[in-house]
Amino acid sequence: MTDSKRISGDISVIMSRIKQSDVSIFWFRRDLRLNDNTGLYHALKSGRPVILLFIFDDEILKKLPVKDARVSFIYDKLEQIHIAVSGYKSSVMVLKGDCIQIWKNIAESAKVKSVFWNNDYEPYAQLRDGKVKNILRGKGIEVCSYKDHVIFEKDEVIKDDSSPYTVFTPYARRWLRRVETSGMPSEKRSEDYLKNLAEIYIDFPGLNSTGLKRSDKKIVDFRSEKIKSYDKYRDYPYMDASTYAGPHLRFGTISIRELAKTAIMVNITYLNELIWREFFMQILFHFPHVVENSFKPKYDGIKWLNDEEKYDKWCKGETGYPLVDAGMRQLNATGFMHNRIRMVTASFLCKHLLIDWRWGERYFSEKLLDYELSSNNGNWQWAAGTGCDAAPYFRVFNPYEQAKKFDRDNKYILEWIPELNTGDYPPPIIDHSFARKRAIETYRYYLNLA
């Protein structure tokens, strides 16, 4: 039996269990929460009973490692939601397969009158959502989508001439000015209307039945109390001052409105990080070529060395540069890397080793629990000097000086490199002074040719 037939059968069975004749569907994607969920709020107030749906999209899953902690995280959050709504005699419909085919099958149900979801701004999501809208509207089904994942969307913070910002500082000023004049978007108390969920009981699928495998790794808990002191300690990896909000923002288990309101009240430095996130999102939307190419086309002419042996040592944390290696080992073991160390490791790969930033971006996309295309791409291009508002090509992080400044006593380094002061730790794979000079000369040469 093919996946499409199995999915079609599942949907037919599920729809037959629904008591109500006309229903709405809310499609969970990057918004795995019941509280302050804009699309869910509007669905629950639409006047029809609401079915909750999540789709494990094969198109996305096939690009992930066999065991991916992010999939497990999504599954766990869905299970929590499923348990919560069972108190309202409802369930979460969890399906896996070809997303477009699933929606074609759903559209055949005469009971579905409207579908709600929250906007996603990544290129694949934009293409997918356009296809789904056409399918549903072709069957006379209403489609309603909403802003939820950001404070301001793609065209809400733009220049006076209606063009997008490509430099962060003026973007941030306009972003803040808009908050001052129009206020923060209001909270949508979706949890107050859960009584409007459709009455239906569906067994929550086991991981084996979805064809997925659970990872043993855990995504760290969000720590809101760290926001207050974020500006003081954020650059010191040994202090564990991170809020670990990344995965929760990525999958929408916390509300960006709630987080931004807290940041405005207690720590503007932290708010600035949230603005960076939205800046990179609007860059990705307006300049989708950055997914595969440099934001500044002239940088695409750089001839990278792309030494696979050195790249492998970078991946494993065996470069002989302690701060770089500690960061890579932390990433490999936990799926997390401290923000300051992300900059150091990225700069080292692109500048010291002259390896294409896309190699590093791809590796981070496979490992980071908080991976988000726009931020990952934007930060890697910033480090490589190829992006908008990037660090200049002649800025090359010195890993030794960074360690002296931010990990003076080697607390962070020794946590991940216990063999640091023994003969088991490798010597540097390249001399810093040589690598810095080579990087600057290489960039300068190819940029002069552009």
Side-chain angles (χ1 to χ4, degrees):
M1 182 179 292
T2 65
D3 277 353
S4 61
K5 288 182 179 179
R6 177 177 58 78
I7 291 167
S8 177
D10 288 348
I11 291 172
S12 299
V13 171
I14 290 168
M15 290 301 175
S16 68
R17 296 179 186 174
I18 300 172
K19 298 178 181 178
Q20 296 87 349
S21 57
D22 295 339
V23 298
S24 295
I25 290 178
F26 175 71
W27 182 14
F28 281 113
R29 292 111 68 85
R30 299 175 60 177
D31 44 21
L32 303 180
R33 66 187 187 281
L34 295 173
N35 63 298
D36 191 19
N37 185 318
T38 307
L40 178 59
Y41 170 84
H42 287 287
L44 293 169
K45 295 193 71 179
S46 67
R48 298 189 184 95
V50 176
I51 297 173
L52 304 177
L53 168 69
F54 183 87
I55 299 171
F56 281 107
D57 185 353
D58 281 348
E59 186 64 27
I60 294 174
L61 292 175
K62 71 182 184 183
K63 299 174 183 177
L64 301 178
V66 175
K67 291 185 69 174
D68 193 299
R70 293 165 292 193
V71 173
S72 182
F73 179 75
I74 292 170
Y75 182 90
D76 289 343
K77 293 301 176 183
L78 288 171
E79 188 172 31
Q80 291 172 20
I81 293 172
H82 182 81
I83 292 170
V85 301
S86 66
Y88 297 87
K89 299 181 180 179
S90 195
S91 305
V92 180
M93 180 165 61
V94 178
L95 302 174
K96 177 187 175 294
D98 181 324
C99 184
I100 301 303
Q101 184 59 51
I102 288 173
W103 279 109
K104 287 179 179 178
N105 295 335
I106 290 175
E108 295 298 324
S109 172
K111 290 186 176 183
V112 179
K113 302 300 181 183
S114 55
V115 175
F116 295 74
W117 67 66
N118 290 314
N119 296 332
D120 193 336
Y121 311 103
E122 295 187 357
Y124 170 73
Q126 293 281 306
L127 181 64
R128 175 201 64 201
D129 292 354
K131 292 179 180 179
V132 173
K133 283 182 180 179
N134 289 336
I135 291 168
L136 296 173
R137 288 171 177 167
K139 293 292 185 178
I141 298 172
E142 180 186 23
V143 178
C144 306
S145 59
Y146 298 89
K147 176 180 69 174
D148 181 76
H149 200 54
V150 293
I151 300 300
F152 297 121
E153 279 191 308
K154 50 194 180 291
D155 292 324
E156 291 187 299
V157 179
I158 52 178
K159 299 178 184 177
D160 291 337
D161 64 0
S162 298
S163 64
Y165 283 101
T166 59
V167 177
F168 174 74
T169 300
Y171 173 85
R173 289 198 197 103
R174 180 63 65 95
W175 194 101
L176 289 167
R177 191 156 62 246
R178 174 145 189 167
V179 170
E180 291 171 0
T181 56
S182 59
M184 190 68 69
S186 61
E187 178 184 2
K188 299 294 187 291
R189 294 193 58 82
S190 45
E191 64 270 35
D192 289 347
Y193 298 93
L194 295 177
K195 62 182 183 296
N196 295 333
L197 289 170
E199 287 191 22
I200 177 174
Y201 182 78
I202 309 166
D203 289 327
F204 193 75
L207 277 175
N208 290 338
S209 68
T210 64
L212 306 173
K213 294 183 178 180
R214 173 168 258 160
S215 170
D216 293 330
K217 289 191 293 185
K218 302 293 183 183
I219 291 187
V220 290
D221 292 332
F222 170 55
R223 301 176 187 177
S224 59
E225 73 278 3
K226 300 286 187 180
I227 295 176
K228 192 172 294 185
S229 57
Y230 181 78
D231 57 320
K232 296 178 182 178
Y233 307 123
R234 63 175 178 150
D235 282 319
Y236 302 96
Y238 66 89
M239 297 189 73
D240 192 27
S242 301
T243 64
Y244 301 108
H248 303 278
L249 283 172
R250 172 68 179 88
F251 298 112
T253 59
I254 56 178
S255 163
I256 183 61
R257 290 171 292 281
E258 180 182 348
L259 194 57
K261 285 178 182 177
T262 300
I264 286 175
M265 291 187 292
V266 303
N267 201 311
I268 296 301
T269 301
Y270 189 78
L271 178 67
N272 215 45
E273 296 299 315
L274 300 181
I275 300 174
W276 267 108
R277 174 177 173 268
E278 297 198 359
F279 173 69
F280 282 141
M281 282 189 177
Q282 62 93 31
I283 288 293
L284 178 63
F285 181 86
H286 289 289
F287 305 97
H289 74 274
V290 299
V291 175
E292 299 293 340
N293 299 289
S294 300
F295 177 83
K296 301 171 184 174
K298 63 181 179 179
Y299 282 83
D300 283 330
I302 294 174
K303 303 300 182 185
W304 304 98
L305 295 181
N306 291 343
D307 185 313
E308 293 188 8
E309 183 178 349
K310 286 185 171 62
Y311 172 72
D312 185 60
K313 289 183 181 298
W314 176 83
C315 292
K316 293 178 179 177
E318 298 175 354
T319 68
Y321 280 78
L323 195 62
V324 173
D325 293 342
M328 296 306 296
R329 294 185 191 189
Q330 180 186 29
L331 174 65
N332 292 332
T334 69
F336 174 81
M337 188 192 294
H338 185 274
N339 187 57
R340 166 63 55 176
I341 312 306
R342 295 188 195 199
M343 291 189 286
V344 176
T345 57
S347 174
F348 185 86
L349 184 75
C350 301
K351 304 286 181 66
H352 281 69
L353 302 183
L354 284 178
I355 290 176
D356 194 330
W357 59 268
R358 281 160 282 231
W359 289 33
E361 183 200 31
R362 183 174 62 249
Y363 190 77
F364 272 31
S365 74
E366 294 172 355
K367 296 292 184 177
L368 282 173
L369 300 175
D370 62 3
Y371 167 70
E372 194 161 45
L373 174 58
S374 55
S375 294
N376 194 48
N377 181 279
N379 284 317
W380 267 97
Q381 294 220 41
W382 181 90
T386 64
C388 62
D389 207 7
Y393 72 84
F394 49 81
R395 181 183 183 185
V396 181
F397 277 101
N398 183 331
Y400 298 127
E401 292 301 319
Q402 290 286 308
K404 287 180 183 178
K405 189 172 182 179
F406 300 113
D407 191 32
R408 181 174 296 275
D409 297 322
N410 287 338
K411 291 181 181 179
Y412 172 76
I413 288 172
L414 286 170
E415 179 182 357
W416 297 104
I417 311 177
E419 78 278 18
L420 178 66
N421 297 314
T422 73
D424 293 331
Y425 186 65
I429 60 174
I430 195 168
D431 175 73
H432 168 70
S433 296
F434 166 80
R436 181 181 183 279
K437 181 181 179 182
R438 183 182 66 176
I440 294 172
E441 290 177 350
T442 299
Y443 272 72
R444 186 175 291 148
Y445 174 77
Y446 286 111
L447 292 179
N448 285 338
L449 292 180

